[in-house]
Amino acid sequence: MIHISPIECTIGLFRNMAKLLVYGGLLFTYGPYAVDGMISPQSNVDFHNSLKAQNPSWGLRDINYLKKVSKENGLKLEMVIDMPANNKTLVFRRLPPGGESDQHAQLLLKAGERY
């Protein structure tokens, strides 16, 4: 969804996850992403270009941008997992108001605690 829709949809995804997820709740996204403004390997560059040719508002999103948008909406990027075929799974967690310490975050993930 993130790479085959306008960026406004991605922003809406994070905005709504901040409303719908319980504190400590997880959002998983999957697909190809840019990292620090760079897209690799060439197959992902080609894919990005083909998306842009279909619709200029589509394309691979940068993980750092998604991290920023998630933070602005009360979520935190917890993990980036390399997957087959040059894809990644990103794991975001909803933070309680005021944020939390990393130690508390790990306890929440282990215990499945809900606020």
Side-chain angles (χ1 to χ4, degrees):
M1 177 238 153
I2 289 177
H3 56 276
I4 55 171
S5 62
I7 195 65
E8 294 81 13
C9 294
T10 299
I11 294 168
L13 171 69
F14 284 104
R15 188 174 295 137
N16 284 299
M17 288 300 96
K19 295 174 186 173
L20 297 172
L21 288 174
V22 297
Y23 298 126
L26 301 175
L27 166 66
F28 292 81
T29 66
Y30 174 84
Y33 298 92
V35 179
D36 296 324
M38 302 296 295
I39 300 173
S40 66
Q42 187 60 46
S43 60
N44 280 356
V45 173
D46 295 342
F47 181 55
H48 174 75
N49 291 337
S50 73
L51 291 172
K52 290 286 195 187
Q54 293 176 65
N55 186 323
S57 67
W58 295 0
L60 276 58
R61 308 301 178 199
D62 194 283
I63 291 174
N64 286 327
Y65 176 76
L66 297 176
K67 184 177 178 179
K68 175 183 171 284
V69 172
S70 70
K71 184 177 180 181
E72 291 170 354
N73 288 284
L75 288 93
K76 179 182 177 186
L77 178 60
E78 290 286 338
M79 284 186 253
V80 177
I81 304 164
D82 288 324
M83 303 297 288
N86 304 306
N87 289 304
K88 297 182 184 304
T89 294
L90 308 183
V91 182
F92 298 89
R93 184 177 43 80
R94 183 171 178 218
L95 299 172
E100 64 191 6
S101 69
D102 286 336
Q103 182 179 13
H104 186 227
Q106 293 306 313
L107 291 173
L108 278 176
L109 287 173
K110 288 180 184 175
E113 181 179 331
R114 293 177 178 225
Y115 286 87

